[in-house]
Amino acid sequence: MSSAHQYRIRPLNPAAHLFEVELTVANPDAAGQEFALPAWIPGSYMIRDYARHVVAIRAESDGLAVALTKLDKSRWRAAPCERAVTLTLEIYAHDESVRGAHLDTTHAYFNGPCVFPEVVGQEALECHVEIENADLAELKNWRVATSMNRLHAEPYSFGTYTASDYAELIDQPVEIGDLHIGEFEAGGIPHAIAIRGNTRADMARLCHDLETLCDYHMQMLGKPKDLDRYLFLLFAPGSGYGGLEHRWSSSLVSHRDSLPIRGDEGISPEYRTFLGLVSHEYFHLWNVKRMKPAVFTPYDLSQETPTELLWVFEGITSYYDDLGLVRSGLIGAEEYLELLGQTITRVIRGQGRKRQTVAESSFDAWTKFYKQDANAGNAIVSYYAKGSLIALALDLKLRQETNGECTLDDVMRACWARWGETGAGMPEDGLETVAAEVSGLDLVDFFAACVRGTGELPIEQLLRDFGVDYELRRAAGRKDKGGKKTDTDKLPDVWLGANLASRNGKPVFASLSNDGPAERAGVSPGDELVALDGLRVSLAGSDTRIRRYRPGDRSELTVFRGDELLTLRLRWSKAPLDTCFLELAEDVEGDVEVRRGSWLGNK
């Protein structure tokens, strides 16, 4: 028998969402082989305890049952065996997110941490995975899409796949079903996209645009030594959005109507959002999948692993995702500035930026960012959004103070050479050290203020120095994401200081801004808004009602808190300037125009 670990996975009962997984270990530990399932998945920094989905587990050797002892929530130990031991698990799979596993009669999807146990002490051994189909007539057209290398399998078919070790095995998700597949090359590397969902997407257009985008990123950072294939797995339902990066692939969820169909011209806002998602996950191919924090080298998937560097690996990636769209020529400068204005809006609307630094946000991701409650906006800052603005400020500062001789691109390439190509982990001060070395600038105060401080970022003046006008206005309503100029005469004078959402068709207070009118009136998150000054309020009509008031006006709010009806007194206050839009400045001087063109890629 091969010394490689032999895994087998099959849909045991699709209607009941059950996978059966077998693992055969040829040479188990003589003292009793230990097995474990990860508690979290790289790229999503929260303990998820995948072992909780195991509904049955048993072990045998030479046809005889082997006793299993459960050691803790995620680990088991088999009694000592003289010969190969086989572990068999039944796993419930009903999580359609990019972080989980899902099985029904329409498809199968799984991430390795959800279904493949680790052979403790033998993680470095090669892993073979036999992917089997269920013996059901309706599943006969299913195909398999994964970035795993084929051992005994035809392309996109059931059969045996291989991974060099356990870490590689669990970093390659698998999608099985009636898939639409397109293929292209980028940087000389075979790429593919496999789509699940009832969509009429123009595959030729998709492949062309993805090739353009991937080519740009490949040219910027260079082809990783071990990159010989890449796969986008896309689930296109009627609603949803998200992604998770992997070393040779990414899992994406995007609304089916965000994809272009034949005859579409230009790039719609929805398609632009999809391309931004693709760009983000693809940039992770370098930034966090190969170059990663020292504490992730290697990953300890049994427990939380805090780092202050998530702003580097998610924030800088969030900066380059939309920037890659304009630099590659897929969108124009005006469209990019709209997206950038929306990011600025998200950050300045949150009071949490005044209380939490991005370093703290990174470190506390496990218990705060991924476990947000109604007060999150007042207590938490996003290391994605604010991190991307820090990257913007750093890039513009480097360009300006070195007369274009050094950019964030140069810093990222230097970091890649030091920690990406070598596989060494980036120390906590790594990015800051390299930025100073490459630029020759004293950046101590910049990083202290931006990364470990809660003051406002210097992006307004930096953008103006690059020929971009920075403007703030009042929000037009609850759906206003910013990024666009609006006639100020049509903007409300007051604000409620709260976000309303729908619950059972009724408007409820989802969250409140500290010291806003609603909070001062005594509203609590979860209160149902019944009436405003004696008149019923609908979610759709709330913006129109609010426009009727002026700063200083007083109102009665009628709310249900649980089953108790309360009347609260509210005083309206002036709406804040918390919505940003950016515009290309006209009549800029020659050097400013050159600086701006170099930054945006002259596209």
Side-chain angles (χ1 to χ4, degrees):
M1 177 182 292
S2 168
S3 61
H5 299 319
Q6 307 291 325
Y7 291 85
R8 182 177 70 91
I9 184 168
R10 70 184 183 95
L12 177 64
N13 186 341
H17 316 295
L18 290 176
F19 281 114
E20 182 181 75
V21 178
E22 284 186 0
L23 164 58
T24 299
V25 181
N27 300 299
D29 187 332
Q33 182 58 57
E34 186 177 319
F35 302 93
L37 277 169
W40 60 282
I41 186 170
S44 184
Y45 306 105
M46 186 178 81
I47 297 298
R48 298 186 183 276
D49 291 330
Y50 289 114
R52 65 193 173 94
H53 298 301
V54 175
V55 297
I57 185 170
R58 65 183 186 276
E60 63 178 44
S61 179
D62 250 3
L64 300 176
V66 174
L68 277 177
T69 301
K70 192 164 188 179
L71 305 177
D72 58 29
K73 63 182 180 180
S74 300
R75 295 184 303 139
W76 299 262
R77 180 184 291 122
C81 301
E82 295 183 357
R83 306 185 68 176
V85 62
T86 297
L87 188 72
T88 303
L89 307 91
E90 292 181 22
I91 297 175
Y92 181 72
H94 198 248
D95 177 358
E96 279 206 287
S97 77
V98 294
R99 302 169 296 273
H102 190 263
L103 171 66
D104 60 19
T105 55
T106 68
H107 87 117
Y109 170 84
F110 56 85
N111 280 288
C114 305
V115 296
F116 294 139
E118 169 190 359
V119 183
V120 177
Q122 300 188 37
E123 297 89 350
L125 285 184
E126 186 178 0
C127 300
H128 295 169
V129 183
E130 184 178 359
I131 302 175
E132 293 187 359
N133 199 357
D135 188 20
L136 297 172
E138 63 266 30
L139 311 186
K140 64 181 180 180
N141 294 323
W142 279 12
R143 294 198 285 177
V144 177
T146 179
S147 60
M148 272 192 284
N149 284 313
R150 292 178 287 114
L151 185 62
H152 302 296
E154 296 298 316
Y156 306 113
S157 297
F158 294 92
T160 305
Y161 293 77
T162 182
S164 62
D165 56 23
Y166 182 74
E168 182 178 315
L169 170 67
I170 62 171
D171 198 23
Q172 304 191 82
V174 178
E175 179 71 78
I176 306 169
D178 184 9
L179 307 176
H180 305 281
I181 296 172
E183 298 179 329
F184 60 96
E185 278 197 3
I189 305 298
H191 286 57
I193 179 170
I195 304 175
R196 173 173 66 91
N198 185 8
T199 174
R200 296 173 55 242
D202 182 345
M203 186 64 79
R205 167 78 184 279
L206 266 178
C207 289
H208 171 272
D209 292 346
L210 296 189
E211 178 183 345
T212 299
L213 183 58
C214 294
D215 265 333
Y216 164 73
H217 286 309
M218 196 80 72
Q219 291 168 14
M220 178 187 155
L221 287 174
K223 183 177 77 69
K225 296 175 181 176
D226 64 345
L227 186 69
D228 57 357
R229 77 276 187 194
Y230 195 87
L231 173 67
F232 295 102
L233 296 174
L234 172 60
F235 173 36
S239 63
Y241 177 85
L244 188 64
E245 68 273 7
H246 298 278
R247 200 174 177 95
W248 291 275
S249 63
S250 54
S251 280
L252 312 170
V253 177
S254 186
H255 192 297
R256 66 171 64 93
D257 291 339
S258 68
L259 305 178
I261 62 174
R262 291 183 183 178
D264 280 354
E265 295 182 0
I267 292 183
S268 68
E270 294 77 18
Y271 184 40
R272 185 178 65 190
T273 298
F274 167 74
L275 290 175
L277 173 65
V278 169
S279 183
H280 183 96
E281 304 306 338
Y282 193 74
F283 195 84
H284 273 315
L285 181 160
W286 292 270
N287 199 36
V288 91
K289 291 313 301 180
R290 288 170 175 81
M291 179 173 71
K292 52 184 179 285
V295 295
F296 290 172
T297 311
Y299 289 109
D300 180 355
L301 299 179
S302 68
Q303 61 184 343
E304 296 165 346
T305 310
T307 172
E308 292 186 349
L309 288 178
L310 293 186
W311 79 268
V312 171
F313 292 97
E314 291 294 353
I316 291 180
T317 298
S318 296
Y319 172 57
Y320 278 107
D321 55 19
D322 289 337
L323 190 60
L325 301 185
V326 67
R327 285 184 174 177
S328 65
L330 288 172
I331 66 174
E334 292 83 359
E335 293 172 285
Y336 171 67
L337 293 182
E338 179 185 343
L339 295 171
L340 183 55
Q342 291 175 355
T343 301
I344 295 170
T345 299
R346 286 198 300 275
V347 173
I348 64 178
R349 282 182 180 174
Q351 298 301 306
R353 77 185 192 284
K354 300 177 182 178
R355 295 190 172 186
Q356 186 187 52
T357 70
V358 291
E360 292 168 339
S361 177
S362 299
F363 195 88
D364 291 335
W366 306 84
T367 55
K368 291 189 175 182
F369 188 78
Y370 276 91
K371 295 182 178 181
Q372 296 190 20
D373 56 23
N375 193 50
N378 297 314
I380 297 174
V381 68
S382 168
Y383 55 79
Y384 284 84
K386 187 175 179 182
S388 73
L389 298 184
I390 294 173
L392 166 69
L394 178 59
D395 194 11
L396 299 187
K397 180 180 177 68
L398 293 175
R399 291 171 181 274
Q400 185 178 50
E401 296 190 12
T402 66
N403 293 317
E405 294 298 318
C406 178
T407 73
L408 185 57
D409 301 1
D410 298 315
V411 173
M412 293 304 292
R413 283 190 282 261
C415 288
W416 172 251
R418 186 172 302 186
W419 296 298
E421 292 286 18
T422 64
M426 178 187 286
E428 294 293 293
D429 63 350
L431 186 280
E432 297 178 33
T433 299
V434 169
E437 290 176 357
V438 172
S439 68
L441 301 176
D442 182 350
L443 299 170
V444 172
D445 290 345
F446 174 87
F447 286 114
C450 296
V451 176
R452 289 174 289 280
T454 56
E456 302 298 343
L457 299 177
I459 54 178
E460 178 176 354
Q461 186 57 53
L462 283 167
L463 285 169
R464 293 191 190 281
D465 292 341
F466 277 74
V468 175
D469 290 335
Y470 179 107
E471 304 291 344
L472 294 177
R473 60 170 173 81
R474 304 186 301 277
R478 61 187 181 85
K479 293 184 178 181
D480 185 359
K481 298 186 295 183
K484 294 182 178 180
K485 186 175 183 178
T486 302
D487 186 350
T488 55
D489 292 338
K490 298 180 180 179
L491 298 177
D493 293 323
V494 299
W495 75 317
L496 188 58
N499 291 316
L500 295 174
S502 178
R503 183 178 66 200
N504 300 323
K506 305 291 181 61
V508 296
F509 289 90
S511 61
L512 307 172
S513 295
N514 280 163
D515 202 34
E519 185 182 80
R520 291 197 302 267
V523 175
S524 291
D527 285 355
E528 177 189 324
L529 176 56
V530 178
L532 175 58
D533 287 330
L535 298 176
R536 180 183 297 164
V537 180
S538 67
L539 187 61
S542 59
D543 288 345
T544 301
R545 290 291 306 281
I546 291 172
R547 290 174 191 274
R548 302 174 68 88
Y549 295 93
R550 298 292 179 266
D553 287 352
R554 298 179 183 275
S555 292
E556 282 191 352
L557 283 179
T558 309
V559 303
F560 265 120
R561 183 171 300 164
D563 60 355
E564 294 187 35
L565 189 66
L566 304 177
T567 299
L568 305 174
R569 305 197 180 281
L570 177 141
R571 183 174 181 176
W572 295 94
S573 59
K574 187 176 181 180
L577 301 176
D578 64 357
T579 305
C580 178
F581 66 94
L582 307 173
E583 294 182 319
L584 293 172
E586 299 179 357
D587 301 323
V588 295
E589 297 179 0
D591 58 338
V592 175
E593 186 174 13
V594 170
R595 256 200 318 266
R596 187 172 69 187
S598 176
W599 166 46
L600 297 178
N602 285 312
K603 295 291 184 180

